[in-house]
């Protein structure tokens, strides 16, 4: 498996790589990926859980018990639950969001996929997302998995981030470029 040096060099990348290797050995990559998605969603929805992961005053054993309880409530696999315990013991729960992103990238690379984040001023329809996915897949020669976000500040157009490439077709950027050109 070819994992970029940037991912391997980061702390989160090393943890994600280790978890991916264990999940591969156990044949549970899909289950662990699903578990990590649940955790990311829980962090976004629960300020208490997000605070737990970053609070340095919480003792290691307390943090470990807390994440195990959350894992039980979410129905996470044993491997993911154990992994959360290791993060708690090593005081690395604050890296959980980065670990989830790195794991997604590693799993997508293993499947021959590339992940793209699409930001638009208004929510895109399923038809528009599918059309964009097909065009990006044709351009990249690999399957593209899209994540859509809405940012009203763009005013219109799209910003597509595909790996380290960014395609900015937003009206905000065009207006800023025009303003700069008029100053010169």
């Amino acid at each position: 498996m070819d994992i970029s040096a940037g991912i391997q060099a980061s702390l989160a990348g090393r943890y994600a790589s280790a978890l991916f290797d264990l999940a591969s050995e156990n044949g549970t990559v899909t289950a662990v990926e699903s578990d990590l998605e649940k955790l990311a969603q829980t962090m976004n929805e629960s300020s208490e859980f997000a605070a737990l992961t970053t609070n340095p005053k919480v003792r290691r054993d307390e943090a470990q018990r807390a994440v195990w309880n959350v894992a039980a409530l979410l129905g996470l696999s044993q491997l993911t639950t154990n992994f959360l315990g290791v993060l708690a013991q090593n005081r690395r729960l604050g890296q959980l969001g980065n670990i989830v992103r790195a794991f997604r990238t590693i799993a997508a690379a293993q499947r021959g996929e590339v992940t793209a984040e699409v930001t638009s001023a208004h929510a895109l329809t399923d038809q528009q997302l599918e059309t964009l996915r097909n065009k990006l897949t044709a351009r990249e020669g690999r399957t593209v998995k899209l994540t859509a976000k809405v940012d009203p500040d763009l005013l219109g157009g799209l910003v597509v981030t595909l790996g380290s490439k960014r395609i900015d077709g937003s009206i905000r950027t065009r207006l800023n470029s025009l303003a700069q050109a008029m100053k010169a």
Side-chain angles (χ1 to χ4, degrees):
M1 172 179 56
D2 182 31
I3 302 171
S4 78
I7 290 175
Q8 288 180 328
S10 71
L11 176 73
R14 290 191 303 272
Y15 274 97
S17 293
L19 179 59
F20 185 84
D21 289 344
L22 288 171
S24 291
E25 288 174 14
N26 294 334
T28 58
V29 172
T30 305
V32 170
E33 193 171 15
S34 174
D35 290 349
L36 293 177
E37 293 300 324
K38 289 178 191 174
L39 281 168
Q41 184 177 359
T42 301
M43 284 179 61
N44 287 336
E45 294 173 358
S46 170
S47 57
E48 294 87 10
F49 182 63
L52 166 75
T53 64
T54 57
N55 188 343
K57 293 182 180 180
V58 177
R59 292 192 346 244
R60 293 172 195 233
D61 58 330
E62 292 171 341
Q64 186 175 40
R65 275 194 305 277
V67 294
W68 282 349
N69 288 334
V70 169
L73 285 172
L74 295 175
L76 304 184
S77 69
Q78 189 62 47
L79 177 59
T80 305
T81 302
N82 291 345
F83 180 73
L84 288 172
V86 169
L87 291 180
Q89 285 299 312
N90 293 344
R91 293 212 174 270
R92 298 292 189 228
L93 284 173
Q95 289 291 315
L96 188 56
N98 294 331
I99 292 168
V100 170
R101 282 187 288 284
F103 191 93
R104 280 184 200 139
T105 301
I106 293 167
Q110 179 68 17
R111 290 189 299 265
E113 294 176 350
V114 64
T115 303
E117 183 176 279
V118 180
T119 308
S120 60
H122 305 284
L124 298 176
T125 65
D126 290 341
Q127 175 72 32
Q128 290 170 322
L129 287 171
E130 190 58 34
T131 301
L132 182 59
R133 181 185 345 271
N134 291 338
K135 288 185 181 196
L136 290 172
T137 297
R139 177 181 175 192
E140 292 298 310
R142 296 189 287 174
T143 304
V144 175
K145 184 177 179 183
L146 284 181
T147 305
K149 287 182 10 182
V150 175
D151 180 3
D153 291 341
L154 292 180
L155 303 176
L158 299 173
V159 177
V160 179
T161 306
L162 189 70
S164 61
K165 295 179 259 182
R166 177 174 228 142
I167 304 163
D168 191 340
S170 67
I171 291 177
R172 177 180 62 189
T173 299
R174 291 179 188 173
L175 289 173
N176 288 342
S177 297
L178 181 62
Q180 290 298 322
M182 291 175 70
K183 286 181 183 178

PDB file of all heavy atoms in Angstrom, residues 1 8 11 13 24-25 29 35 41 63 68 71 73 102 104-105 110 118-119 133 174 183:
ATOM      1  N   MET A   1       0.853  -1.175   0.000  1.00  0.00           N
ATOM      2  CA  MET A   1       0.000   0.000   0.000  1.00  0.00           C
ATOM      3  C   MET A   1       0.893   1.230   0.000  1.00  0.00           C
ATOM      4  O   MET A   1       1.859   1.323   0.734  1.00  0.00           O
ATOM      5  CB  MET A   1      -0.895  -0.035   1.237  1.00  0.00           C
ATOM      6  CG  MET A   1      -1.676   1.220   1.440  1.00  0.00           C
ATOM      7  SD  MET A   1      -2.757   1.161   2.885  1.00  0.00           S
ATOM      8  CE  MET A   1      -1.630   0.772   4.187  1.00  0.00           C
ATOM      9  N   GLN A   8       2.243   9.670   6.795  1.00  0.00           N
ATOM     10  CA  GLN A   8       3.080   8.866   7.671  1.00  0.00           C
ATOM     11  C   GLN A   8       3.896   9.725   8.635  1.00  0.00           C
ATOM     12  O   GLN A   8       4.215   9.297   9.730  1.00  0.00           O
ATOM     13  CB  GLN A   8       4.028   7.990   6.851  1.00  0.00           C
ATOM     14  CG  GLN A   8       3.317   6.851   6.168  1.00  0.00           C
ATOM     15  CD  GLN A   8       4.271   5.993   5.362  1.00  0.00           C
ATOM     16  OE1 GLN A   8       5.260   6.479   4.831  1.00  0.00           O
ATOM     17  NE2 GLN A   8       3.961   4.712   5.273  1.00  0.00           N
ATOM     18  N   LEU A  11       1.671  12.775  13.408  1.00  0.00           N
ATOM     19  CA  LEU A  11       1.302  11.950  14.553  1.00  0.00           C
ATOM     20  C   LEU A  11       0.000  11.202  14.267  1.00  0.00           C
ATOM     21  O   LEU A  11      -0.083   9.990  14.459  1.00  0.00           O
ATOM     22  CB  LEU A  11       1.155  12.827  15.799  1.00  0.00           C
ATOM     23  CG  LEU A  11       0.666  12.107  17.052  1.00  0.00           C
ATOM     24  CD1 LEU A  11       1.781  11.233  17.587  1.00  0.00           C
ATOM     25  CD2 LEU A  11       0.220  13.095  18.092  1.00  0.00           C
ATOM     26  N   GLY A  13      -1.284  10.521  11.434  1.00  0.00           N
ATOM     27  CA  GLY A  13      -1.051   9.563  10.358  1.00  0.00           C
ATOM     28  C   GLY A  13      -0.428   8.265  10.850  1.00  0.00           C
ATOM     29  O   GLY A  13      -0.784   7.183  10.381  1.00  0.00           O
ATOM     30  N   SER A  24      -6.693  -4.273   8.781  1.00  0.00           N
ATOM     31  CA  SER A  24      -6.439  -5.099   7.591  1.00  0.00           C
ATOM     32  C   SER A  24      -6.158  -6.541   7.986  1.00  0.00           C
ATOM     33  O   SER A  24      -6.671  -7.472   7.362  1.00  0.00           O
ATOM     34  CB  SER A  24      -5.250  -4.554   6.798  1.00  0.00           C
ATOM     35  OG  SER A  24      -5.563  -3.328   6.214  1.00  0.00           O
ATOM     36  N   GLU A  25      -5.325  -6.715   9.012  1.00  0.00           N
ATOM     37  CA  GLU A  25      -5.006  -8.058   9.482  1.00  0.00           C
ATOM     38  C   GLU A  25      -6.256  -8.797   9.947  1.00  0.00           C
ATOM     39  O   GLU A  25      -6.378 -10.003   9.749  1.00  0.00           O
ATOM     40  CB  GLU A  25      -3.999  -7.996  10.639  1.00  0.00           C
ATOM     41  CG  GLU A  25      -2.611  -7.603  10.228  1.00  0.00           C
ATOM     42  CD  GLU A  25      -1.689  -7.402  11.427  1.00  0.00           C
ATOM     43  OE1 GLU A  25      -2.048  -7.822  12.549  1.00  0.00           O
ATOM     44  OE2 GLU A  25      -0.608  -6.821  11.229  1.00  0.00           O
ATOM     45  N   VAL A  29     -11.550  -3.521   8.089  1.00  0.00           N
ATOM     46  CA  VAL A  29     -11.312  -2.140   7.671  1.00  0.00           C
ATOM     47  C   VAL A  29     -12.632  -1.383   7.521  1.00  0.00           C
ATOM     48  O   VAL A  29     -12.776  -0.259   8.009  1.00  0.00           O
ATOM     49  CB  VAL A  29     -10.506  -2.080   6.351  1.00  0.00           C
ATOM     50  CG1 VAL A  29     -10.438  -0.660   5.812  1.00  0.00           C
ATOM     51  CG2 VAL A  29      -9.105  -2.636   6.568  1.00  0.00           C
ATOM     52  N   ASP A  35     -16.944   2.870  12.245  1.00  0.00           N
ATOM     53  CA  ASP A  35     -16.815   3.293  13.643  1.00  0.00           C
ATOM     54  C   ASP A  35     -16.243   4.706  13.743  1.00  0.00           C
ATOM     55  O   ASP A  35     -16.728   5.529  14.515  1.00  0.00           O
ATOM     56  CB  ASP A  35     -15.885   2.344  14.416  1.00  0.00           C
ATOM     57  CG  ASP A  35     -16.477   0.974  14.657  1.00  0.00           C
ATOM     58  OD1 ASP A  35     -17.684   0.793  14.421  1.00  0.00           O
ATOM     59  OD2 ASP A  35     -15.710   0.085  15.077  1.00  0.00           O
ATOM     60  N   GLN A  41     -18.915  12.015  13.835  1.00  0.00           N
ATOM     61  CA  GLN A  41     -20.252  12.599  13.923  1.00  0.00           C
ATOM     62  C   GLN A  41     -20.582  12.929  15.387  1.00  0.00           C
ATOM     63  O   GLN A  41     -21.134  13.989  15.679  1.00  0.00           O
ATOM     64  CB  GLN A  41     -21.286  11.636  13.349  1.00  0.00           C
ATOM     65  CG  GLN A  41     -22.683  12.199  13.312  1.00  0.00           C
ATOM     66  CD  GLN A  41     -23.665  11.235  12.669  1.00  0.00           C
ATOM     67  OE1 GLN A  41     -23.309  10.145  12.229  1.00  0.00           O
ATOM     68  NE2 GLN A  41     -24.912  11.638  12.615  1.00  0.00           N
ATOM     69  N   ALA A  63     -10.521   9.242  31.254  1.00  0.00           N
ATOM     70  CA  ALA A  63     -10.747   9.412  29.821  1.00  0.00           C
ATOM     71  C   ALA A  63     -10.965   8.060  29.151  1.00  0.00           C
ATOM     72  O   ALA A  63     -11.841   7.904  28.297  1.00  0.00           O
ATOM     73  CB  ALA A  63      -9.569  10.144  29.182  1.00  0.00           C
ATOM     74  N   TRP A  68     -14.588   4.376  26.472  1.00  0.00           N
ATOM     75  CA  TRP A  68     -15.127   3.020  26.379  1.00  0.00           C
ATOM     76  C   TRP A  68     -16.649   3.037  26.521  1.00  0.00           C
ATOM     77  O   TRP A  68     -17.342   2.279  25.851  1.00  0.00           O
ATOM     78  CB  TRP A  68     -14.493   2.117  27.424  1.00  0.00           C
ATOM     79  CG  TRP A  68     -13.102   1.651  27.059  1.00  0.00           C
ATOM     80  CD1 TRP A  68     -12.484   1.779  25.850  1.00  0.00           C
ATOM     81  CD2 TRP A  68     -12.168   0.987  27.904  1.00  0.00           C
ATOM     82  NE1 TRP A  68     -11.231   1.241  25.894  1.00  0.00           N
ATOM     83  CE2 TRP A  68     -11.009   0.738  27.154  1.00  0.00           C
ATOM     84  CE3 TRP A  68     -12.208   0.585  29.232  1.00  0.00           C
ATOM     85  CZ2 TRP A  68      -9.895   0.102  27.661  1.00  0.00           C
ATOM     86  CZ3 TRP A  68     -11.082  -0.057  29.753  1.00  0.00           C
ATOM     87  CH2 TRP A  68      -9.948  -0.295  28.973  1.00  0.00           C
ATOM     88  N   ALA A  71     -18.009   4.281  23.312  1.00  0.00           N
ATOM     89  CA  ALA A  71     -17.880   3.216  22.314  1.00  0.00           C
ATOM     90  C   ALA A  71     -18.991   2.180  22.477  1.00  0.00           C
ATOM     91  O   ALA A  71     -19.556   1.699  21.496  1.00  0.00           O
ATOM     92  CB  ALA A  71     -16.511   2.546  22.426  1.00  0.00           C
ATOM     93  N   LEU A  73     -21.975   2.714  23.818  1.00  0.00           N
ATOM     94  CA  LEU A  73     -23.230   3.349  23.396  1.00  0.00           C
ATOM     95  C   LEU A  73     -23.363   3.392  21.877  1.00  0.00           C
ATOM     96  O   LEU A  73     -24.454   3.220  21.333  1.00  0.00           O
ATOM     97  CB  LEU A  73     -23.324   4.780  23.941  1.00  0.00           C
ATOM     98  CG  LEU A  73     -23.637   4.933  25.412  1.00  0.00           C
ATOM     99  CD1 LEU A  73     -23.493   6.391  25.835  1.00  0.00           C
ATOM    100  CD2 LEU A  73     -25.044   4.438  25.711  1.00  0.00           C
ATOM    101  N   ALA A 102      -7.078  10.991   8.485  1.00  0.00           N
ATOM    102  CA  ALA A 102      -5.949  10.222   7.939  1.00  0.00           C
ATOM    103  C   ALA A 102      -6.380   8.791   7.610  1.00  0.00           C
ATOM    104  O   ALA A 102      -5.992   8.246   6.566  1.00  0.00           O
ATOM    105  CB  ALA A 102      -4.788  10.218   8.928  1.00  0.00           C
ATOM    106  N   ARG A 104      -9.407   7.796   6.789  1.00  0.00           N
ATOM    107  CA  ARG A 104     -10.224   7.879   5.563  1.00  0.00           C
ATOM    108  C   ARG A 104      -9.339   7.914   4.327  1.00  0.00           C
ATOM    109  O   ARG A 104      -9.607   7.237   3.339  1.00  0.00           O
ATOM    110  CB  ARG A 104     -11.067   9.160   5.561  1.00  0.00           C
ATOM    111  CG  ARG A 104     -12.304   9.119   6.359  1.00  0.00           C
ATOM    112  CD  ARG A 104     -13.051  10.445   6.151  1.00  0.00           C
ATOM    113  NE  ARG A 104     -13.993  10.681   7.209  1.00  0.00           N
ATOM    114  CZ  ARG A 104     -14.204  11.848   7.791  1.00  0.00           C
ATOM    115  NH1 ARG A 104     -13.541  12.916   7.410  1.00  0.00           N
ATOM    116  NH2 ARG A 104     -15.092  11.972   8.748  1.00  0.00           N
ATOM    117  N   THR A 105      -8.297   8.726   4.389  1.00  0.00           N
ATOM    118  CA  THR A 105      -7.392   8.881   3.250  1.00  0.00           C
ATOM    119  C   THR A 105      -6.680   7.562   2.947  1.00  0.00           C
ATOM    120  O   THR A 105      -6.580   7.158   1.782  1.00  0.00           O
ATOM    121  CB  THR A 105      -6.359   9.987   3.537  1.00  0.00           C
ATOM    122  OG1 THR A 105      -7.072  11.205   3.795  1.00  0.00           O
ATOM    123  CG2 THR A 105      -5.418  10.186   2.377  1.00  0.00           C
ATOM    124  N   GLN A 110      -6.299   2.720  -0.477  1.00  0.00           N
ATOM    125  CA  GLN A 110      -6.265   1.257  -0.592  1.00  0.00           C
ATOM    126  C   GLN A 110      -7.317   0.765  -1.583  1.00  0.00           C
ATOM    127  O   GLN A 110      -7.092  -0.188  -2.309  1.00  0.00           O
ATOM    128  CB  GLN A 110      -6.488   0.622   0.783  1.00  0.00           C
ATOM    129  CG  GLN A 110      -6.494  -0.881   0.794  1.00  0.00           C
ATOM    130  CD  GLN A 110      -5.129  -1.476   0.481  1.00  0.00           C
ATOM    131  OE1 GLN A 110      -4.117  -0.804   0.553  1.00  0.00           O
ATOM    132  NE2 GLN A 110      -5.112  -2.727   0.115  1.00  0.00           N
ATOM    133  N   VAL A 118     -16.257  19.252  -1.815  1.00  0.00           N
ATOM    134  CA  VAL A 118     -16.894  20.263  -2.651  1.00  0.00           C
ATOM    135  C   VAL A 118     -17.608  21.247  -1.741  1.00  0.00           C
ATOM    136  O   VAL A 118     -18.464  20.857  -0.949  1.00  0.00           O
ATOM    137  CB  VAL A 118     -17.905  19.617  -3.621  1.00  0.00           C
ATOM    138  CG1 VAL A 118     -18.564  20.681  -4.475  1.00  0.00           C
ATOM    139  CG2 VAL A 118     -17.244  18.567  -4.463  1.00  0.00           C
ATOM    140  N   THR A 119     -17.247  22.512  -1.862  1.00  0.00           N
ATOM    141  CA  THR A 119     -17.901  23.558  -1.091  1.00  0.00           C
ATOM    142  C   THR A 119     -18.657  24.447  -2.062  1.00  0.00           C
ATOM    143  O   THR A 119     -18.092  24.903  -3.063  1.00  0.00           O
ATOM    144  CB  THR A 119     -16.868  24.389  -0.302  1.00  0.00           C
ATOM    145  OG1 THR A 119     -16.037  23.500   0.451  1.00  0.00           O
ATOM    146  CG2 THR A 119     -17.551  25.357   0.638  1.00  0.00           C
ATOM    147  N   ARG A 133     -19.187  14.236  -9.628  1.00  0.00           N
ATOM    148  CA  ARG A 133     -18.414  13.029  -9.323  1.00  0.00           C
ATOM    149  C   ARG A 133     -17.940  12.345 -10.607  1.00  0.00           C
ATOM    150  O   ARG A 133     -16.781  11.948 -10.721  1.00  0.00           O
ATOM    151  CB  ARG A 133     -19.256  12.065  -8.492  1.00  0.00           C
ATOM    152  CG  ARG A 133     -18.527  10.783  -8.098  1.00  0.00           C
ATOM    153  CD  ARG A 133     -19.371   9.742  -7.371  1.00  0.00           C
ATOM    154  NE  ARG A 133     -20.647  10.174  -6.838  1.00  0.00           N
ATOM    155  CZ  ARG A 133     -20.843  10.692  -5.620  1.00  0.00           C
ATOM    156  NH1 ARG A 133     -19.829  10.855  -4.812  1.00  0.00           N
ATOM    157  NH2 ARG A 133     -22.049  11.028  -5.225  1.00  0.00           N
ATOM    158  N   ARG A 174     -13.513  35.276  -7.747  1.00  0.00           N
ATOM    159  CA  ARG A 174     -13.517  36.069  -8.979  1.00  0.00           C
ATOM    160  C   ARG A 174     -13.660  37.556  -8.672  1.00  0.00           C
ATOM    161  O   ARG A 174     -12.988  38.393  -9.287  1.00  0.00           O
ATOM    162  CB  ARG A 174     -14.648  35.611  -9.896  1.00  0.00           C
ATOM    163  CG  ARG A 174     -14.395  34.233 -10.470  1.00  0.00           C
ATOM    164  CD  ARG A 174     -15.525  33.794 -11.358  1.00  0.00           C
ATOM    165  NE  ARG A 174     -15.362  32.408 -11.748  1.00  0.00           N
ATOM    166  CZ  ARG A 174     -16.260  31.721 -12.410  1.00  0.00           C
ATOM    167  NH1 ARG A 174     -17.395  32.290 -12.776  1.00  0.00           N
ATOM    168  NH2 ARG A 174     -16.037  30.476 -12.722  1.00  0.00           N
ATOM    169  N   LYS A 183      -7.156  47.655  -8.807  1.00  0.00           N
ATOM    170  CA  LYS A 183      -6.233  48.447  -8.004  1.00  0.00           C
ATOM    171  C   LYS A 183      -4.939  48.723  -8.751  1.00  0.00           C
ATOM    172  O   LYS A 183      -4.265  49.714  -8.520  1.00  0.00           O
ATOM    173  CB  LYS A 183      -5.915  47.737  -6.696  1.00  0.00           C
ATOM    174  CG  LYS A 183      -7.021  47.770  -5.692  1.00  0.00           C
ATOM    175  CD  LYS A 183      -6.598  47.063  -4.427  1.00  0.00           C
ATOM    176  CE  LYS A 183      -7.747  47.031  -3.419  1.00  0.00           C
ATOM    177  NZ  LYS A 183      -7.347  46.293  -2.210  1.00  0.00           N
TER     178      LYS A 183
END
